[in-house]
Amino acid sequence: MDLGNDLHLELGAGGGRRAALIGALRDAVRGGRLAPGTRLPPYRTLAADLGIARNTVADAYAELVAEGWLTSRQGSGTRVADRVAAPAPGPVRPTAPPPLPYDLVQGKPDPGAFPRATWLASARRALTAAPHEAFGIGDPHGRIELRRALVEYLARARGVRTSPDRIVICSGAAHALRLLARVLGTAGPWAVEAYGLPFHRGLLAEAGVVTVPVAVDEDGARVADIPRPASAVLLTPAHQFPTGGPLHPERRAGVLEWARTSGGLVVEDDYDGEFRYDRRPVGAVQGLDPEQTVLIGSVSKSLSPALRIGWMCLPAALVDGVVTAKGEREPYAAATEQLTLADFLASGGYDRHVRRMRQRHRARRDRLTAVLAERAPGVRVTGIAAGLHAVLELPPGTERTALAAAARHGVAVEGLASYRHPDARGPAHPAGLVVGYATPPERLYGAALGALCDALGDALPDTARAVSGT
């Protein structure tokens, strides 16, 4: 028996039930709450819900069909008529400018590359095997199935040493940093790389944490410059963001020695550790000393930011504090998605996807460097041994001009200066563009590179003359 959809109507007091129902339905359609094509409940269902006679509902529907508000067909039920006028539009509000056609902003994988078929297969297996308690109130540590799968994967692929009871699932790097800031408090500043995500610095500032910049060079953060009063240092050791180099082995040892002697914490953002092309794999710093390091990871770069799944591998002393800060109810990361990711990892689907995307990103990177070598040979490309972006070094004083030219040619891209900490001292890195090569769909990638080179030709006339031979 078709019980139909729920429908909320206020009939009011006084007057006949039939007239009140007709008026309520007219108001709901006229006001836009019932859109054209919406199917109404059967007579019996609506009558029972409203506590009125079935014939009253039937008569009201028939009247509104006759007036043209509703339509009724055998087998299709009663629906709101398509020809009913829509409600008058409200005041015109300013809209955001349309996005530029060529998206070369870093940090975003191509949404079309999401492995739908294998993810769906994992979802089916995971939901079939899931215990009943998985659909109750969640454990703030996160699903045990995912934590076990992460222990195996991170040990094998990233050199991480941890256990399920020392992993806490969160909704990404930002969520992890907010939790850590809450646990560590504001007793001391955090040292951060002089070039890094302004968003991360901003959320620490919102939590009352003062950030102190540490200079970055071709060997990564200059960890000898970390101030002693700092309570933590936030690093991107596998692939410094955004300049691109790995943290030198001596500096890895140095930052751990700083942590041991100062009582500080190393917070390792392993944001794209899976994607390396021209170098041997670089393991996580966490594997060298799990008691001094928090490793933060997520699937935002490797799968999709829409999944909202990340993790923290914590020292034993921090687990209870982080779980308490997170709260008793599991927020953000749905249990069903956690179960699916656990199967995706355990079945090898994640490894196969990462290898496939590694090949694709490497081909895109090679295409970018080849086009620039041909059309803008005066531009040096750096930070390309790993990750999802490259840095194009520009002549001094040309970054803003290049960004303006890129916008004119429909290219969304960011300048290197926007990542510099406002309190950073000493010489800045050369002017540059941070070019993400993962986001555009394949059919637009060639056009995006062409538009980027056109913009560079406009902004850097010397380079354009070198290309044209004039």
Side-chain angles (χ1 to χ4, degrees), residues 10 134 147 233 249 329 366 421 436:
E10 294 285 352
R147 290 184 280 132
V233 57
R329 300 291 180 111
D366 292 348
H421 194 292

Side-chain angles (χ1 to χ4, degrees), residues 23 121 171 177 207 267 375 415 460:
S171 65
L177 287 176
V267 180
R375 296 191 53 189
L460 311 173

